Coordinates of all heavy atoms in Angstrom, one line a residue:
M6 N 143.2 59.7 -68.0 CA 142.1 59.8 -67.0 C 141.1 58.6 -67.2 O 140.7 58.2 -68.3 CB 141.4 61.0 -67.4 CG 140.2 61.4 -66.5 SD 139.6 63.1 -66.8 CE 138.7 63.3 -65.3
P7 N 140.7 58.0 -66.0 CA 139.9 56.8 -66.1 C 138.4 57.2 -66.6 O 137.9 58.3 -66.4 CB 139.8 56.4 -64.6 CG 140.6 57.2 -63.8 CD 141.2 58.3 -64.6
N8 N 137.8 56.1 -67.2 CA 136.5 56.3 -67.8 C 135.5 56.0 -66.8 O 135.4 54.8 -66.3 CB 136.4 55.5 -69.0 CG 135.0 55.7 -69.7 OD1 134.5 56.8 -69.6 ND2 134.6 54.6 -70.4
I9 N 134.6 57.0 -66.3 CA 133.6 56.8 -65.2 C 132.4 56.1 -65.9 O 131.9 56.6 -67.0 CB 133.3 58.0 -64.5 CG1 134.6 58.6 -63.9 CG2 132.2 57.8 -63.4 CD1 135.2 57.9 -62.8
E10 N 131.9 55.0 -65.4 CA 130.6 54.4 -65.9 C 129.6 54.2 -64.8 O 130.0 54.3 -63.6 CB 131.0 53.1 -66.6 CG 132.0 53.2 -67.7 CD 132.3 51.8 -68.3 OE1 131.4 50.9 -68.4 OE2 133.5 51.6 -68.6
L11 N 128.4 54.0 -65.2 CA 127.3 53.7 -64.3 C 127.2 52.2 -64.1 O 127.4 51.4 -64.9 CB 126.0 54.2 -64.8 CG 125.9 55.7 -65.0 CD1 124.6 56.2 -65.6 CD2 126.1 56.5 -63.6
W12 N 127.0 51.8 -62.8 CA 126.9 50.3 -62.4 C 125.6 50.0 -61.6 O 125.1 50.8 -60.9 CB 128.2 50.0 -61.6 CG 129.4 50.3 -62.4 CD1 130.2 51.4 -62.4 CD2 130.1 49.4 -63.3 NE1 131.3 51.4 -63.2 CE2 131.2 50.1 -63.7 CE3 129.8 48.1 -63.8 CZ2 132.1 49.5 -64.8 CZ3 130.6 47.6 -64.7 CH2 131.8 48.3 -65.1
I13 N 125.3 48.8 -61.7 CA 124.3 48.2 -60.9 C 124.8 47.2 -60.0 O 125.4 46.2 -60.5 CB 123.1 47.6 -61.7 CG1 122.4 48.7 -62.5 CG2 122.0 47.0 -60.7 CD1 121.4 48.1 -63.5
I14 N 124.8 47.3 -58.6 CA 125.3 46.4 -57.7 C 124.2 45.6 -57.0 O 123.4 46.2 -56.3 CB 126.3 47.1 -56.8 CG1 127.4 47.9 -57.6 CG2 126.9 46.2 -55.8 CD1 127.9 49.1 -56.9
T15 N 124.2 44.3 -57.1 CA 123.3 43.5 -56.4 C 124.1 43.0 -55.1 O 125.2 42.6 -55.1 CB 122.9 42.2 -57.3 OG1 122.5 42.6 -58.5 CG2 121.9 41.4 -56.5
V16 N 123.3 43.1 -54.0 CA 123.8 42.9 -52.7 C 123.1 41.7 -52.0 O 122.0 41.5 -52.3 CB 123.9 44.1 -51.8 CG1 124.8 45.3 -52.5 CG2 122.5 44.7 -51.5
S17 N 123.7 41.1 -51.0 CA 123.2 40.1 -50.2 C 122.1 40.7 -49.3 O 122.3 41.7 -48.8 CB 124.3 39.5 -49.5 OG 123.8 38.6 -48.5
H18 N 121.0 39.8 -49.1 CA 120.0 40.2 -48.1 C 120.4 39.9 -46.8 O 119.6 40.2 -45.7 CB 118.7 39.6 -48.6 CG 118.1 40.1 -49.9 ND1 117.5 41.3 -49.9 CD2 118.1 39.6 -51.0 CE1 117.2 41.6 -51.2 NE2 117.5 40.6 -51.8
E19 N 121.6 39.3 -46.6 CA 122.0 38.8 -45.2 C 122.5 40.0 -44.4 O 122.8 39.8 -43.2 CB 123.0 37.6 -45.3 CG 122.4 36.5 -46.0 CD 123.4 35.4 -46.4 OE1 124.5 35.6 -46.1 OE2 122.9 34.4 -46.9
Q20 N 122.8 41.1 -45.0 CA 123.5 42.3 -44.3 C 122.6 43.5 -44.7 O 121.8 43.6 -45.6 CB 124.8 42.5 -44.8 CG 125.8 41.4 -44.7 CD 127.1 41.7 -45.3 OE1 127.6 42.7 -45.3 NE2 127.7 40.6 -45.8
S21 N 122.8 44.5 -43.9 CA 122.1 45.8 -44.1 C 122.6 46.5 -45.4 O 123.8 46.7 -45.6 CB 122.4 46.7 -42.9 OG 122.1 48.1 -43.3
I22 N 121.7 46.8 -46.3 CA 122.1 47.4 -47.6 C 122.7 48.7 -47.3 O 123.7 49.2 -48.1 CB 120.9 47.6 -48.5 CG1 121.4 47.9 -49.9 CG2 119.9 48.5 -48.0 CD1 120.2 47.7 -51.0
K23 N 122.3 49.4 -46.3 CA 123.0 50.7 -45.9 C 124.4 50.6 -45.5 O 125.3 51.4 -45.8 CB 122.1 51.5 -44.9 CG 120.8 51.9 -45.5 CD 120.0 52.6 -44.6 CE 118.7 53.0 -45.4 NZ 117.6 53.7 -44.7
E24 N 124.7 49.6 -44.8 CA 126.1 49.2 -44.4 C 126.9 48.8 -45.6 O 128.1 49.3 -45.7 CB 126.2 48.0 -43.3 CG 125.6 48.5 -42.0 CD 125.6 47.3 -41.0 OE1 126.2 46.3 -41.3 OE2 124.9 47.4 -40.0
I25 N 126.3 48.0 -46.5 CA 127.1 47.8 -47.7 C 127.4 49.0 -48.5 O 128.5 49.2 -49.1 CB 126.3 46.6 -48.5 CG1 126.2 45.3 -47.7 CG2 127.0 46.4 -49.9 CD1 125.2 44.3 -48.3
A26 N 126.4 49.9 -48.6 CA 126.5 51.1 -49.5 C 127.6 52.0 -48.7 O 128.4 52.6 -49.4 CB 125.2 51.9 -49.4
T27 N 127.7 52.0 -47.4 CA 128.7 52.8 -46.7 C 130.2 52.2 -47.2 O 131.1 52.9 -47.4 CB 128.6 52.7 -45.3 OG1 127.3 53.3 -44.9 CG2 129.7 53.4 -44.5
R28 N 130.2 50.9 -47.2 CA 131.5 50.3 -47.6 C 131.9 50.4 -49.0 O 133.0 50.7 -49.4 CB 131.6 48.7 -47.3 CG 131.5 48.4 -45.7 CD 131.9 47.0 -45.6 NE 130.8 46.0 -46.0 CZ 129.8 45.6 -45.3 NH1 129.7 46.0 -44.1 NH2 129.0 44.7 -45.9
L29 N 130.9 50.4 -49.9 CA 131.1 50.7 -51.4 C 131.6 52.2 -51.5 O 132.5 52.5 -52.3 CB 129.8 50.5 -52.1 CG 129.4 49.0 -52.2 CD1 128.0 48.8 -52.8 CD2 130.4 48.2 -53.0
S30 N 130.9 53.1 -50.9 CA 131.2 54.5 -50.9 C 132.7 54.7 -50.5 O 133.5 55.4 -51.1 CB 130.4 55.3 -50.1 OG 130.5 56.7 -50.2
A31 N 133.1 54.0 -49.4 CA 134.4 54.1 -48.8 C 135.5 53.7 -49.9 O 136.6 54.1 -49.9 CB 134.6 53.4 -47.6
E32 N 135.1 52.7 -50.7 CA 136.0 52.1 -51.7 C 136.0 53.0 -53.0 O 136.7 52.6 -53.9 CB 135.6 50.7 -52.0 CG 136.1 49.7 -50.9 CD 137.5 49.6 -50.7 OE1 138.2 49.8 -51.6 OE2 137.9 49.3 -49.6
G33 N 135.1 53.9 -53.1 CA 135.2 54.8 -54.2 C 134.0 54.9 -55.2 O 134.0 55.6 -56.2
L34 N 132.9 54.2 -54.8 CA 131.6 54.4 -55.6 C 130.9 55.6 -55.3 O 130.8 55.9 -54.1 CB 130.7 53.0 -55.2 CG 129.4 53.1 -56.0 CD1 129.6 52.8 -57.5 CD2 128.4 52.2 -55.4
T35 N 130.5 56.3 -56.2 CA 129.6 57.4 -56.0 C 128.2 57.0 -56.1 O 127.8 56.6 -57.3 CB 130.0 58.6 -57.1 OG1 131.3 59.0 -57.0 CG2 129.0 59.7 -57.0
I36 N 127.5 56.8 -55.0 CA 126.2 56.2 -55.0 C 125.1 57.2 -55.6 O 125.1 58.5 -55.3 CB 125.8 55.8 -53.6 CG1 126.8 54.8 -53.1 CG2 124.5 55.4 -53.5 CD1 126.7 54.4 -51.7
K37 N 124.4 56.6 -56.5 CA 123.2 57.3 -57.1 C 121.9 57.0 -56.4 O 121.2 57.9 -55.9 CB 123.1 57.0 -58.6 CG 122.0 57.8 -59.2 CD 122.0 57.4 -60.7 CE 120.8 58.1 -61.4 NZ 120.7 57.6 -62.8
D38 N 121.6 55.7 -56.2 CA 120.4 55.3 -55.6 C 120.6 54.0 -54.7 O 121.5 53.2 -55.1 CB 119.3 55.0 -56.6 CG 118.7 56.1 -57.3 OD1 118.3 57.0 -56.6 OD2 118.7 56.2 -58.5
I39 N 119.9 53.8 -53.6 CA 119.9 52.6 -52.9 C 118.5 52.1 -53.1 O 117.5 52.7 -52.6 CB 120.2 52.9 -51.4 CG1 121.6 53.4 -51.3 CG2 120.1 51.6 -50.6 CD1 122.0 53.9 -49.9
L40 N 118.4 51.0 -53.8 CA 117.1 50.4 -54.0 C 116.9 49.2 -53.1 O 117.0 48.0 -53.5 CB 117.0 49.9 -55.5 CG 117.4 51.1 -56.5 CD1 117.7 50.5 -57.8 CD2 116.4 52.1 -56.5
E41 N 116.5 49.5 -51.9 CA 116.4 48.5 -50.8 C 115.5 47.4 -51.0 O 115.7 46.2 -50.7 CB 116.0 49.2 -49.5 CG 116.2 48.4 -48.3 CD 116.2 49.2 -47.0 OE1 116.1 50.4 -47.0 OE2 116.3 48.6 -45.9
E42 N 114.3 47.8 -51.7 CA 113.3 46.8 -52.0 C 113.8 45.6 -52.9 O 113.3 44.5 -52.7 CB 112.0 47.4 -52.6 CG 111.4 48.4 -51.7 CD 112.0 49.8 -51.7 OE1 113.0 50.0 -52.6 OE2 111.7 50.6 -50.8
I43 N 114.7 45.9 -53.8 CA 115.1 44.9 -54.7 C 116.6 44.5 -54.4 O 117.3 43.6 -55.3 CB 115.0 45.3 -56.2 CG1 115.7 46.6 -56.4 CG2 113.5 45.4 -56.5 CD1 115.7 46.9 -58.0
G44 N 117.3 45.0 -53.4 CA 118.6 44.6 -53.0 C 119.6 45.1 -54.0 O 120.6 44.3 -54.3
C45 N 119.5 46.3 -54.6 CA 120.5 46.9 -55.5 C 120.9 48.3 -55.1 O 120.2 49.1 -54.5 CB 119.9 46.9 -56.9 SG 119.7 45.3 -57.7
I46 N 122.1 48.6 -55.5 CA 122.6 50.0 -55.3 C 123.2 50.4 -56.7 O 123.8 49.6 -57.3 CB 123.8 49.9 -54.4 CG1 123.3 49.5 -53.0 CG2 124.5 51.3 -54.3 CD1 124.4 49.2 -52.0
T47 N 122.8 51.6 -57.1 CA 123.4 52.1 -58.4 C 124.4 53.2 -58.1 O 124.2 53.9 -57.0 CB 122.3 52.7 -59.2 OG1 121.6 53.8 -58.7 CG2 121.2 51.6 -59.6
G48 N 125.3 53.3 -59.0 CA 126.3 54.5 -58.7 C 127.4 54.4 -59.9 O 127.3 53.6 -60.8
S49 N 128.3 55.3 -59.7 CA 129.3 55.4 -60.8 C 130.7 55.2 -60.2 O 130.9 55.6 -59.1 CB 129.2 56.9 -61.5 OG 129.3 57.9 -60.5
A50 N 131.6 54.7 -61.1 CA 132.9 54.4 -60.7 C 133.7 54.1 -62.0 O 133.2 53.6 -63.0 CB 133.0 53.3 -59.6
D51 N 135.0 54.2 -61.9 CA 135.9 53.7 -63.0 C 136.1 52.2 -62.9 O 135.7 51.5 -61.9 CB 137.1 54.5 -63.1 CG 138.1 54.3 -61.9 OD1 138.1 53.1 -61.4 OD2 138.6 55.3 -61.5
N52 N 136.7 51.6 -63.9 CA 136.9 50.1 -64.0 C 137.8 49.6 -62.9 O 137.6 48.5 -62.4 CB 137.4 49.6 -65.3 CG 136.3 49.7 -66.4 OD1 135.2 49.6 -66.1 ND2 136.7 49.9 -67.6
V53 N 138.8 50.3 -62.5 CA 139.8 50.0 -61.5 C 139.0 49.9 -60.1 O 139.2 49.0 -59.4 CB 140.9 50.9 -61.4 CG1 141.8 50.6 -60.1 CG2 141.8 50.9 -62.7
T54 N 138.2 50.9 -59.9 CA 137.4 51.0 -58.6 C 136.5 49.7 -58.6 O 136.3 49.2 -57.6 CB 136.7 52.3 -58.4 OG1 137.7 53.4 -58.4 CG2 135.8 52.3 -57.3
V55 N 135.8 49.5 -59.7 CA 134.9 48.3 -59.7 C 135.6 47.0 -59.3 O 134.9 46.2 -58.6 CB 134.2 48.2 -61.2 CG1 133.5 46.9 -61.3 CG2 133.3 49.3 -61.3
E56 N 136.7 46.8 -59.7 CA 137.5 45.7 -59.3 C 137.6 45.5 -57.8 O 137.5 44.5 -57.2 CB 138.9 45.5 -59.9 CG 138.8 45.3 -61.5 CD 138.0 44.1 -61.7 OE1 138.2 43.0 -61.1 OE2 137.1 44.1 -62.7
R57 N 137.8 46.7 -57.1 CA 137.9 46.7 -55.6 C 136.4 46.4 -55.1 O 136.3 45.7 -54.0 CB 138.3 48.0 -55.1 CG 139.8 48.3 -55.3 CD 140.3 49.5 -54.4 NE 139.5 50.7 -54.4 CZ 139.6 51.6 -55.3 NH1 140.6 51.6 -56.1 NH2 138.9 52.7 -55.2
L58 N 135.5 47.0 -55.8 CA 134.0 46.9 -55.3 C 133.6 45.4 -55.2 O 132.9 45.0 -54.4 CB 133.1 47.8 -56.0 CG 133.3 49.3 -56.1 CD1 132.3 49.9 -57.0 CD2 133.3 49.9 -54.7
K59 N 134.0 44.7 -56.2 CA 133.7 43.3 -56.2 C 134.1 42.5 -55.0 O 133.5 41.4 -54.7 CB 134.4 42.6 -57.5 CG 133.8 43.1 -58.8 CD 134.3 42.5 -60.0 CE 133.9 42.9 -61.3 NZ 134.6 42.4 -62.4
K60 N 135.0 43.0 -54.3 CA 135.7 42.3 -53.1 C 135.0 42.8 -51.8 O 135.3 42.2 -50.8 CB 137.2 42.5 -53.1 CG 137.8 42.0 -54.2 CD 139.3 42.3 -54.2 CE 139.9 41.7 -55.5 NZ 141.3 42.2 -55.7
V61 N 134.1 43.8 -51.9 CA 133.4 44.2 -50.7 C 132.4 43.1 -50.2 O 131.6 42.6 -50.9 CB 132.6 45.5 -51.0 CG1 131.7 46.0 -49.9 CG2 133.6 46.7 -51.3
Q62 N 132.5 42.9 -48.9 CA 131.6 42.0 -48.3 C 130.2 42.3 -48.5 O 129.7 43.5 -48.2 CB 131.9 41.9 -46.9 CG 131.0 40.7 -46.1 CD 131.3 40.6 -44.6 OE1 132.1 41.4 -44.1 NE2 130.8 39.6 -44.0
G63 N 129.3 41.4 -48.9 CA 127.9 41.6 -49.3 C 127.6 41.9 -50.7 O 126.5 41.8 -51.1
V64 N 128.6 42.1 -51.5 CA 128.4 42.3 -52.9 C 128.2 40.9 -53.7 O 129.1 40.1 -53.5 CB 129.5 43.1 -53.7 CG1 129.5 43.1 -55.1 CG2 129.5 44.5 -53.2
V65 N 127.1 40.8 -54.4 CA 126.8 39.6 -55.1 C 127.3 39.6 -56.5 O 127.8 38.7 -57.1 CB 125.4 39.2 -55.0 CG1 125.0 38.0 -55.8 CG2 124.9 39.0 -53.5
D66 N 126.9 40.8 -57.1 CA 127.2 41.0 -58.6 C 127.3 42.5 -58.9 O 126.7 43.3 -58.2 CB 126.0 40.4 -59.4 CG 126.3 40.4 -60.9 OD1 127.5 40.0 -61.3 OD2 125.5 40.9 -61.6
I67 N 128.2 42.8 -59.9 CA 128.2 44.2 -60.5 C 128.1 44.1 -62.0 O 128.8 43.3 -62.6 CB 129.5 44.8 -60.1 CG1 129.7 44.9 -58.5 CG2 129.7 46.2 -60.7 CD1 131.0 45.5 -58.0
A68 N 127.2 44.9 -62.5 CA 126.9 44.9 -64.0 C 126.8 46.3 -64.4 O 126.4 47.2 -63.7 CB 125.7 44.1 -64.2
P69 N 127.2 46.6 -65.6 CA 127.0 47.9 -66.2 C 125.6 48.3 -66.3 O 124.7 47.5 -66.6 CB 127.7 47.9 -67.6 CG 128.0 46.4 -67.8 CD 127.8 45.6 -66.6
D70 N 125.3 49.5 -66.0 CA 124.0 50.1 -66.2 C 123.8 50.7 -67.5 O 124.4 51.7 -67.8 CB 123.7 51.2 -65.0 CG 122.3 51.8 -65.1 OD1 121.5 51.3 -65.8 OD2 122.1 52.7 -64.2
I71 N 123.0 49.9 -68.3 CA 122.9 50.4 -69.7 C 121.6 50.9 -70.0 O 120.7 50.6 -69.4 CB 123.3 49.3 -70.8 CG1 122.4 48.1 -70.6 CG2 124.7 48.8 -70.6 CD1 122.4 47.0 -71.6
Q72 N 121.5 51.8 -71.0 CA 120.2 52.4 -71.4 C 119.4 51.5 -72.3 O 120.1 50.9 -73.2 CB 120.4 53.8 -72.1 CG 120.9 54.9 -71.3 CD 120.0 55.3 -70.2 OE1 118.8 55.4 -70.4 NE2 120.5 55.7 -69.1
V73 N 118.2 51.2 -72.0 CA 117.4 50.4 -72.9 C 116.2 51.1 -73.3 O 115.5 51.7 -72.5 CB 117.0 49.1 -72.0 CG1 116.0 48.2 -72.9 CG2 118.1 48.3 -71.6
G74 N 115.9 51.1 -74.6 CA 114.8 51.7 -75.1 C 113.7 50.7 -75.6 O 114.1 49.8 -76.4
I75 N 112.6 50.8 -75.2 CA 111.5 49.7 -75.7 C 110.7 50.3 -76.8 O 109.8 49.6 -77.3 CB 110.6 49.3 -74.5 CG1 109.9 50.5 -73.8 CG2 111.5 48.5 -73.4 CD1 108.9 50.0 -72.8
G76 N 110.8 51.5 -77.2 CA 110.0 52.1 -78.2 C 108.6 52.4 -77.8 O 108.1 52.0 -76.7
P77 N 107.8 53.1 -78.6 CA 106.5 53.4 -78.3 C 105.5 52.2 -78.4 O 105.9 51.2 -79.1 CB 106.1 54.5 -79.4 CG 107.0 54.2 -80.5 CD 108.3 53.7 -79.9
P78 N 104.4 52.3 -77.7 CA 103.5 51.2 -77.8 C 103.1 50.8 -79.3 O 103.0 51.8 -80.1 CB 102.3 51.7 -77.1 CG 102.8 52.7 -76.2 CD 103.9 53.4 -77.0
G79 N 103.1 49.6 -79.6 CA 102.8 49.1 -80.9 C 104.0 49.1 -81.9 O 103.7 48.7 -83.1
A80 N 105.1 49.5 -81.4 CA 106.2 49.5 -82.4 C 106.7 48.2 -82.7 O 106.7 47.3 -81.9 CB 107.4 50.4 -81.8
D81 N 107.1 48.0 -84.0 CA 107.7 46.6 -84.3 C 109.1 46.3 -83.7 O 109.3 45.2 -83.4 CB 107.9 46.6 -85.9 CG 106.5 46.5 -86.5 OD1 105.5 46.1 -85.8 OD2 106.4 46.9 -87.7
S82 N 109.9 47.4 -83.5 CA 111.2 47.1 -82.9 C 111.4 47.6 -81.6 O 110.8 48.7 -81.2 CB 112.3 47.7 -83.9 OG 112.1 49.1 -83.9
T83 N 112.2 46.9 -80.8 CA 112.5 47.4 -79.4 C 114.0 47.3 -79.3 O 114.7 46.7 -80.1 CB 111.9 46.6 -78.4 OG1 112.3 45.2 -78.5 CG2 110.2 46.7 -78.5
W84 N 114.6 48.0 -78.3 CA 116.0 48.1 -78.0 C 116.6 48.9 -79.1 O 117.5 49.0 -79.6 CB 116.6 46.6 -77.9 CG 115.9 45.8 -77.0 CD1 114.7 45.2 -77.1 CD2 116.3 45.4 -75.7 NE1 114.4 44.5 -76.1 CE2 115.4 44.7 -75.1 CE3 117.4 45.7 -74.9 CZ2 115.5 44.0 -73.9 CZ3 117.5 45.1 -73.7 CH2 116.5 44.3 -73.2

């Protein structure tokens, strides 16, 4: 069974982000959020699907969505 992971997809501003999201969804991305203001779409997919998503017109970059902890204010360590 494929391992499903969360992804951040950066898209071109030359096309409608909603149209790109529709194409990504058709290729197998389960969309979580469309962040129109910053040109990103978040969602989940397996690694095989991500390889297809990289070829979708309007996709600039795909990166894993990782959790980052910055710690409480005044803490010596972050991450």
Side-chain angles (χ1 to χ4, degrees):
M6 181 171 197
N8 187 26
I9 304 294
E10 297 181 43
L11 297 174
W12 301 93
I13 300 172
I14 301 157
T15 305
V16 299
S17 169
H18 291 287
E19 297 171 1
Q20 300 175 36
S21 163
I22 194 168
K23 292 181 182 177
E24 290 176 10
I25 297 170
T27 299
R28 291 194 295 269
L29 290 169
S30 181
E32 288 295 331
L34 179 71
T35 301
I36 294 177
K37 181 178 176 190
D38 288 308
I39 297 175
L40 308 168
E41 193 165 355
E42 297 80 10
I43 60 171
C45 291
I46 298 169
T47 64
S49 58
D51 61 44
N52 289 332
V53 173
T54 300
V55 168
E56 291 305 312
R57 284 196 318 269
L58 299 178
K59 289 177 181 178
K60 298 173 185 169
V61 170
Q62 184 180 7
V64 170
V65 175
D66 185 55
I67 300 179
D70 185 3
I71 57 172
Q72 295 290 326
V73 176
I75 60 170
D81 289 336
S82 62
T83 59
W84 309 71

